[in-house]
């Protein structure tokens, strides 16, 4: 008797789950696809930000170091 009740309960669950499984799998697939796209967009933005930061640091270093180098060159030229 209990086995028959369990089978009825399982059949009822299957009847509930199966119609939901296909739409749910499509929703999960599309959600994962969108999250992958967002991940790659974020990674690309991070790469661009790193590139811009490196370029800015290089510009600042060149701007700070150039006058020092010019002064050293003038000092060496006046000594020699």
């Amino acid at each position: 008797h209990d086995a028959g009740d369990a089978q009825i309960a399982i059949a009822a669950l299957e009847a509930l789950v199966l119609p939901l499984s296909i739409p749910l799998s499509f929703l999960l697939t599309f959600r994962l696809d969108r999250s992958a796209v967002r991940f790659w967009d974020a990674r690309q933005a991070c790469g661009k930000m790193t590139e811009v930061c490196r370029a800015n640091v290089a510009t600042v270093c060149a701007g700070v170091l150039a006058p020092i180098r010019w002064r050293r060159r003038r000092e060496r030229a006046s000594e020699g």
Side-chain angles (χ1 to χ4, degrees):
H1 192 103
D2 289 334
D5 289 341
Q7 288 178 348
I8 292 172
I10 291 172
L13 282 174
E14 284 180 355
L16 178 68
V17 170
L18 286 177
L20 296 176
S21 64
I22 293 173
L24 185 61
S25 65
F26 278 117
L27 288 173
L28 287 173
T29 302
F30 289 130
R31 185 177 175 115
L32 289 174
D33 185 45
R34 284 190 314 223
S35 66
V37 168
R38 283 194 305 266
F39 170 78
W40 287 111
D41 287 346
R43 184 174 171 163
Q44 184 180 15
C46 252
K48 184 64 174 174
M49 187 172 57
T50 302
E51 178 186 338
V52 168
C53 286
R54 286 181 181 169
N56 288 339
V57 168
T59 301
V60 168
C61 287
V64 169
L65 294 177
I68 295 170
R69 289 180 181 160
W70 292 333
R71 187 173 45 232
R72 286 183 186 165
R73 286 181 189 155
R74 275 187 271 139
E75 290 170 359
R76 289 181 189 154
S78 65
E79 290 174 0

